[in-house]
Amino acid sequence: MKRIGTIVLIILIIGFGIAGYRYVSYRTKNAVSDAAFVRTDSLLTLSFKVGGRIDRLTKKEGQSVHKGELLAHIDTKDFELALQRTQKRIEALKHQAKALQFQRQELNQSLAIQATITKNDKKKLSKQIEAFRLGIKAKEIQLAQLSRDLARYQKLYRRRLLQKEKLEKARTAKQMLERQIASDRKRLEAMRVDLANLVQKLRLIQTQKKRVQELGEQCKATLKQIAALQKAKEQLQNKIAYATLRSPIEGQVAKRFVNLYRVVKKGSPIYSVVDPKDLHIEVLLSEKKLQGVKKGNNVAIHIDAYPDRTYHGRVESILPASAATFALVPRDIASGEFTKLDQRFGVRITIEDPTPDLRVGMGASVAIERK
């Protein structure tokens, strides 16, 4: 019995020694960690860009979705009514702007024609006035000559050297010329009044040109209103488009956050979708185990849910900063109190032989081959 006990003890010692050697050798050749999880870059939380009442939900949790497939829809009646009102307002303002442009164009052309005609009439009348003035001046000179002749004829008549008929003839000629001069002066005054009226008409045309400018300003203001309404129309069209939620990827529904007919706000989560094929392993590896761990090293992966399976992978990347670097409350060592802690770095591992039953968030353990 003593010999058997001794042999058993020796066998146990040898077995533990071999197991210990294998354990130490395995840990030396591989960086082992249980802080590993199945992750994905395709876990997307989807939401609407507008708020409103949900009138359609097409998928339940776990169902498959295709890229571009409709997931949810918001009631757009209010947006559509607002769009119709905006469109009608735009059409009305377009007609108003067109009418203002036509009115401005017509008024501008009419005033230009009137101004041209009035300037020509003013120029013509000014020349006529000048001609009349010179004519009156000539007649006044002629009248002065007739007055001198009549005075001379009267002297001759008193001395009985001239016939009375010739004297009367000279007196009649003078009177007629005086009447002509008086008539011409009145006509000249009337022409000057007409000239003043033409000047006033030109001033009135200049005043009316301000109305053309006002019509232009009104037209610009109307066009600005149209531009603003066009932007509002585009926003409403965008809101109607944003009321449709579609899947951006091919995958499955991971979670549905709302129920039908619920009123949601802009940005509220509606669905989470995931691509089950886009999986990788994320490991938080101690800094003491980083030695020999490089990009491209082979990795043995054991998923906690499937302990009998071994998955294979490769190191895709090693993050350049520790997880503690991004902590919301960084450690303050200014007071002099410091406790050295083991830092962990993120290592991303590509799964080379994934299976459909892998799920995001599953725990795992990995053994990364050191080189």
Side-chain angles (χ1 to χ4, degrees):
M1 290 298 293
K2 289 182 179 180
R3 289 180 180 179
I4 293 173
T6 301
I7 292 171
V8 172
L9 181 60
I10 292 171
I11 292 173
L12 290 174
I13 291 172
I14 293 172
F16 280 118
I18 293 172
Y21 173 78
R22 288 181 177 178
Y23 178 83
V24 172
S25 176
Y26 183 78
R27 294 278 175 161
T28 302
K29 294 179 181 179
N30 299 278
V32 180
S33 176
D34 294 329
F37 303 91
V38 179
R39 300 295 190 199
T40 181
D41 293 331
S42 301
L43 180 61
L44 307 176
T45 300
L46 309 179
S47 60
F48 287 106
K49 293 183 179 180
V50 293
R53 185 177 68 91
I54 297 176
D55 61 2
R56 200 183 311 169
L57 290 172
T58 63
K59 294 294 180 179
K60 297 180 180 180
E61 293 177 354
Q63 288 185 329
S64 299
V65 293
H66 300 290
K67 185 176 181 179
E69 186 177 1
L70 177 66
L71 296 176
H73 186 267
I74 282 180
D75 185 7
T76 59
K77 290 180 181 177
D78 292 340
F79 297 146
E80 291 172 356
L81 290 174
L83 181 60
Q84 291 177 3
R85 289 194 297 268
T86 303
Q87 183 62 39
K88 289 180 180 178
R89 180 61 177 160
I90 289 173
E91 293 299 326
L93 287 174
K94 283 183 177 179
H95 289 302
Q96 181 179 341
K98 189 175 181 180
L100 287 172
Q101 289 175 348
F102 180 78
Q103 185 179 356
R104 177 179 177 273
Q105 185 177 1
E106 288 292 317
L107 181 60
N108 193 33
Q109 291 178 354
S110 175
L111 290 177
I113 294 172
Q114 290 181 31
T116 302
I117 294 174
T118 305
K119 287 179 181 178
N120 291 335
D121 290 344
K122 178 175 175 289
K123 185 177 181 180
K124 180 180 177 180
L125 189 57
S126 297
K127 290 181 179 180
Q128 290 177 353
I129 290 173
E130 181 65 19
F132 255 79
R133 190 183 65 79
L134 294 175
I136 291 172
K137 189 174 182 181
K139 289 180 179 180
E140 287 176 345
I141 295 172
Q142 186 180 359
L143 179 63
Q145 182 62 41
L146 286 176
S147 297
R148 288 193 295 271
D149 290 343
L150 182 60
R152 185 167 54 84
Y153 287 166
Q154 287 176 346
K155 289 180 181 179
L156 292 174
Y157 177 75
R158 285 194 296 270
R159 295 164 65 180
R160 300 182 182 275
L161 297 176
L162 184 70
Q163 297 178 355
K164 185 178 181 180
E165 182 181 353
K166 194 171 184 178
L167 176 64
E168 292 297 329
K169 187 177 180 180
R171 185 178 290 117
T172 301
K174 178 186 175 186
Q175 290 175 353
M176 290 180 62
L177 187 59
E178 286 176 345
R179 290 173 183 174
Q180 288 180 5
I181 291 173
S183 176
D184 288 346
R185 283 176 178 173
K186 290 181 179 179
R187 188 174 178 184
L188 180 62
E189 289 298 324
M191 293 173 69
R192 285 174 175 170
V193 171
D194 291 340
L195 181 63
N197 290 335
L198 289 176
V199 173
Q200 291 296 327
K201 188 175 181 180
L202 285 174
R203 290 177 181 175
L204 181 61
I205 291 173
Q206 292 297 326
T207 303
Q208 289 178 331
K209 284 185 177 181
K210 294 181 180 179
R211 175 59 181 163
V212 175
Q213 295 177 353
E214 291 175 359
L215 289 173
E217 294 299 326
Q218 290 178 8
C219 187
K220 288 180 181 179
T222 304
L223 292 176
K224 287 182 180 180
Q225 291 181 11
I226 292 174
L229 287 173
Q230 288 286 6
K231 290 183 179 179
K233 176 183 174 182
E234 291 176 3
Q235 291 176 355
L236 288 170
Q237 290 174 335
N238 289 335
K239 287 181 178 180
I240 293 174
Y242 294 155
T244 300
L245 187 65
R246 299 184 181 275
S247 175
I249 62 172
E250 195 90 9
Q252 290 180 317
V253 175
K255 186 173 180 60
R256 193 180 80 179
F257 294 92
V258 296
N259 296 322
L260 192 62
Y261 304 127
R262 179 175 173 181
V263 177
V264 296
K265 294 181 180 179
K266 173 183 175 181
S268 299
I270 307 299
Y271 278 102
S272 280
V273 294
V274 63
D275 182 359
K277 298 178 182 179
D278 182 22
L279 301 175
H280 65 273
I281 301 296
E282 184 179 295
V283 184
L284 288 176
L285 193 62
S286 169
E287 60 183 333
K288 297 176 182 179
K289 298 180 181 180
L290 281 175
Q291 184 178 358
V293 176
K294 298 179 182 179
K295 182 179 179 180
N297 287 11
N298 294 325
V299 183
I301 307 167
H302 292 88
I303 304 298
D304 295 346
Y306 313 113
D308 297 333
R309 300 182 193 175
T310 300
Y311 294 87
H312 302 86
R314 288 186 180 276
V315 175
E316 182 180 334
S317 63
I318 304 172
L319 295 184
S322 67
T325 304
F326 305 101
L328 294 177
V329 183
R331 297 179 63 204
D332 184 10
I333 60 174
S335 61
E337 297 179 2
F338 177 73
T339 302
K340 189 175 182 63
L341 298 175
D342 186 17
Q343 299 298 310
R344 294 181 178 274
F345 289 80
V347 179
R348 182 185 175 108
I349 298 171
T350 301
I351 305 173
E352 295 183 338
D353 50 356
T355 56
D357 52 3
L358 288 179
R359 297 289 184 269
V360 178
M362 284 183 170
S365 60
V366 298
I368 304 173
E369 181 185 7
R370 286 193 172 103
K371 290 184 179 180

